[in-house]
Amino acid sequence: MSLPPEKASELKQLIHQQLSKMDVHGRIREILAETIREELAPDQQQLSTEDLIKALRRRGIIDDVMKELNFVTDSVDQELPSSPKQPVCFTDRQSTLLKKTNIDPTRRYLYLQVLGGKAFLEHLQEPEPLPGQVCSTFTLCLHFRNQRFRSKPVPCACEPDFHDGFLLEVHRESLGDGTRMADSTTMLSISDPVHMVLIKTDIFGETTLVASYFLEWRSVLGSENGVTSLTVELMGVGTESKVSVGILNIKLEMYPPLNQTLSQEVVNTQLALERQKTAEKERLFLVYAKQWWREYLQIRPSHNSRLVKIFAQDENGINRPVCSYIKPLRAGRLLDTPRQAARFVNVLGYERAPVIGGGGKQEQWCTLLAFLCRNKGDCEDHANLLCSLLLGYGLEAFVCVGTKAKGVPHAWVMTCGTDGTITFWESLTGHRYIHKPANPDESPVAEPPKPLYPYRTIGCVFNHQMFLGNCQPSDSVEICVFDLNDESKWKPMSEEAIKSVCAPGATTSLPPFPPLCASTIDASVTSNEIEMQLRLLVSEHRKDLGLTTVWEDQLSYLLSPALASYEFERTTSISAGNEEFQDAIRRAVPDGHTFKGFPIHFVYRNARRAFATCLRSPFCEEIICCRGDQVRLAVRVRVFTYPESACAVWIMFACKYRSVL
């Protein structure tokens, strides 16, 4: 490939600047002198160029130079990966115009720039953070056609300083067209929006969902030169879904530039037709749902009080069929088994939707992207995700809606085995329960055993294809029969009706399901950091009590197998390795000494918060504040990482001391 003369001189200048910056000339001189001393035979008078290149390559100089050279026209923080299929996020702080010279010219990209925000009035009075000061931050998360992106955190302010660029590949997923560049007409038929979620992270690491927005990007197809600028108003979530939280300035640009742009009229007509088609499908489903509900109430008037949930509000306050919150979800190589998937869902944080004032529970079912980005949600969010993952593993899974003790509404997951076995999965704890129905007609001689599961009543079950209302005389889970094919016990909705609004691509109002992302947490580094912080906190606490602290590293190390065993048991329900741990502890504790250990589990990585929780346990406080002869303390932390940077944190405090009677 030949370069124009001005580009060639520019490239030479760039390489010269980089070589000067890295002092490559000086390093070459050093290596040349060293090579002459070590490798030049007495009868040789000079080194060949090939010998010198080999020496430079052997010492890594050439590799260092190639790593440092970024062939871009502007300064960017992150280089584009060589594989064009990888999602790319790159940022530029100085320039608002970024053009990369090494994007794959055979593929079509949408370059989305976020060029600052304004009118985030909740942060109007916040002072500018001082350099190095910890402050609350905004992070923007994006999802588009199986590609996920995350902006750099920016300090919360009335005008947050977002300056990020995201390169979104616009590709076809069917008929083998993925390798062909999409033209304007093809792209106009791609109705997937860019889902944008704004997350606020406070100084303690707690996350809050600020806004969730679906960006219609196809307006760029009708704009001149394939470039357009938009002002996006973000609305709040839940009870504040009608209140503006701020404005983002966005610029969209197609790469490579479009050869032929569509007229704005064509684009607008296509969008209007899609909206009309979606509205008609939703109207017909609503008519059908009302008819189904009337028939359900005619079976038994008491059905009116059962928890039969056909629609649920998402974070934007939009009513959607509950079946649309479920979709078979494959975790790729991030999760290996259904039980591991249950453990992953369990370690995502639990938080009820916030409500202003009293009046009971505020309902808010989150879209999957909002739930994953926030890393916490309500029981319905956990149940929907777990059901989707179990469906992905080929199980027949349903979300159950009913109540727990004291009539508290709750959602959990149920799987139906091919042999008729019914298993309940509690998404908040990862526990599994086998359901054995009691026969209400039998007069038991003895009192029947109390069920292990916490569920009391069940109103309906559903997944991505089916919705069934419980029409048995009693809605008690204990005596419920889960023969879902028996219409005298379970009233089904038409699968065709559900498919018309919940099948992928059925309507443009359905949020696409994002893929799971691998963890960005280094388990070993994080474990060490938390452990060192806990050691410091324990030492300070004991110092305040007038006690000295002596740590025994070997004893700390011996606690590792126990922590691994606890996590293995949580994931598989199988206990293993306990004998070796007990044997090692017996050997490490001399005769006449006492050993005490206290394991505890968290789903967050805040050492100070974990320590405060541990001190509330009398058993743990007894270990941390241990007094006696030859007291030796130990603490071990083990962080187990899961997708979406969720983690299970196991901590064990231990002590051994000489027993003095």
Side-chain angles (χ1 to χ4, degrees), residues 80-376:
L80 188 68
S82 57
S83 169
K85 290 197 175 184
Q86 292 294 322
V88 184
C89 165
F90 53 92
T91 311
D92 176 50
R93 287 180 182 162
Q94 280 76 38
S95 170
T96 57
L97 180 66
L98 269 178
K99 290 189 179 179
K100 297 188 77 61
T101 56
N102 58 346
I103 62 171
D104 185 343
T106 65
R107 293 182 177 273
R108 183 76 72 190
Y109 297 92
L110 172 68
Y111 181 39
L112 187 154
Q113 292 180 75
V114 184
L115 305 174
K118 57 188 177 184
F120 285 79
L121 300 179
E122 193 176 323
H123 303 277
L124 189 61
Q125 303 299 325
E126 284 198 16
E128 279 199 27
L130 299 169
Q133 180 187 353
V134 178
C135 63
S136 300
T137 58
F138 282 139
T139 308
L140 197 61
C141 306
L142 276 72
H143 168 233
F144 178 69
R145 294 178 73 75
N146 251 22
Q147 303 161 80
R148 291 203 31 205
F149 307 84
R150 182 181 286 265
S151 73
K152 287 184 178 175
V154 299
C156 292
C158 183
E159 296 188 355
D161 188 27
F162 286 112
H163 275 90
D164 281 282
F166 307 97
L167 203 61
L168 286 60
E169 186 179 333
V170 185
H171 56 86
R172 288 291 301 273
E173 295 167 325
S174 60
L175 304 175
D177 285 344
T179 55
R180 207 177 336 151
M181 185 186 290
D183 58 17
S184 303
T185 312
T186 304
M187 288 190 287
L188 188 59
S189 67
I190 298 175
S191 60
D192 297 33
V194 179
H195 190 182
M196 306 168 72
V197 168
L198 184 63
I199 300 291
K200 178 183 175 181
T201 308
D202 68 15
I203 57 174
F204 304 108
E206 290 295 310
T207 54
T208 311
L209 178 62
V210 178
S212 173
Y213 184 82
F214 294 94
L215 176 68
E216 178 50 75
W217 58 275
R218 287 175 289 176
S219 58
V220 73
L221 300 176
S223 57
E224 195 176 345
N225 302 324
V227 182
T228 187
S229 295
L230 307 169
T231 301
V232 169
E233 184 179 19
L234 301 178
M235 309 303 281
V237 295
T239 52
E240 299 173 37
S241 59
K242 303 284 186 273
V243 180
S244 174
V245 294
I247 290 169
L248 291 180
N249 295 320
I250 288 175
K251 183 179 178 184
L252 300 175
E253 191 168 353
M254 298 304 304
Y255 279 118
L258 296 171
N259 296 327
Q260 181 183 359
T261 58
L262 304 171
S263 74
Q264 200 63 54
E265 189 181 348
V266 169
V267 175
N268 292 341
T269 303
Q270 172 70 14
L271 301 183
L273 282 171
E274 287 177 5
R275 283 193 295 270
Q276 186 181 338
K277 191 176 173 184
T278 294
E280 181 61 15
K281 284 185 177 181
E282 289 174 346
R283 186 189 68 80
L284 289 173
F285 181 77
L286 180 59
V287 169
Y288 170 75
K290 284 180 176 178
Q291 175 64 28
W292 183 93
W293 178 244
R294 279 195 295 271
E295 292 170 2
Y296 182 70
L297 291 182
Q298 285 168 11
I299 297 171
R300 207 173 279 112
S302 61
H303 285 181
N304 195 36
S305 61
R306 294 190 181 182
L307 281 176
V308 179
K309 194 92 187 132
I310 303 173
F311 294 93
Q313 281 193 358
D314 66 11
E315 67 265 25
N316 291 326
I318 295 169
N319 270 317
R320 291 171 41 208
V322 290
C323 297
S324 68
Y325 290 87
I326 310 286
K327 178 192 169 186
L329 185 64
R330 297 193 341 195
R333 300 193 185 277
L334 300 178
L335 297 167
D336 295 319
T337 66
R339 295 192 189 189
Q340 196 180 14
R343 178 61 174 153
F344 156 59
V345 176
N346 154 223
V347 298
L348 290 169
Y350 169 62
E351 181 183 79
R352 292 177 64 169
V355 59
I356 300 171
K361 181 182 174 183
Q362 164 67 30
E363 179 175 279
Q364 178 183 304
W365 291 29
C366 279
T367 56
L368 183 55
L369 184 68
F371 176 38
L372 294 176
C373 294
R374 191 171 51 140
N375 253 171
K376 58 186 176 184

Side-chain angles (χ1 to χ4, degrees), residues 532-661:
M532 296 313 294
Q533 289 170 27
L534 287 174
R535 282 196 175 201
L536 194 62
L537 290 166
V538 170
S539 299
E540 286 176 353
H541 187 74
R542 286 176 62 83
K543 188 178 178 183
D544 291 343
L545 298 172
L547 300 170
T548 57
T549 306
V550 181
W551 296 100
E552 186 171 313
D553 290 342
Q554 177 61 13
L555 185 59
S556 295
Y557 181 69
L558 295 184
L559 304 177
S560 293
L563 301 182
S565 176
Y566 298 148
E567 183 61 21
F568 183 74
E569 188 174 352
R570 287 288 182 100
T571 308
T572 62
S573 305
I574 299 168
S575 180
N578 204 32
E579 302 82 1
E580 294 91 339
F581 168 65
Q582 290 180 357
D583 188 59
I585 293 298
R586 287 192 191 100
R587 290 173 178 277
V589 179
D591 290 341
H593 283 64
T594 300
F595 171 84
K596 290 181 180 178
F598 176 80
I600 191 167
H601 166 254
F602 299 100
V603 295
Y604 51 80
R605 305 189 301 279
N606 187 322
R608 194 171 289 276
R609 181 179 163 194
F611 184 65
T613 305
C614 291
L615 282 178
R616 287 200 286 272
S617 162
F619 302 105
C620 188
E621 191 191 23
E622 194 178 311
I623 292 170
I624 291 171
C625 306
C626 181
R627 298 169 183 266
D629 186 22
Q630 298 180 28
V631 175
R632 297 292 181 269
L633 291 169
V635 62
R636 192 66 170 171
V637 177
R638 179 73 167 84
V639 174
F640 297 88
T641 58
Y642 288 91
E644 300 297 329
S645 298
C647 59
V649 179
W650 282 96
I651 300 172
M652 186 183 256
F653 290 99
C655 68
K656 67 176 184 180
Y657 57 93
R658 187 170 184 175
S659 305
V660 181
L661 297 174

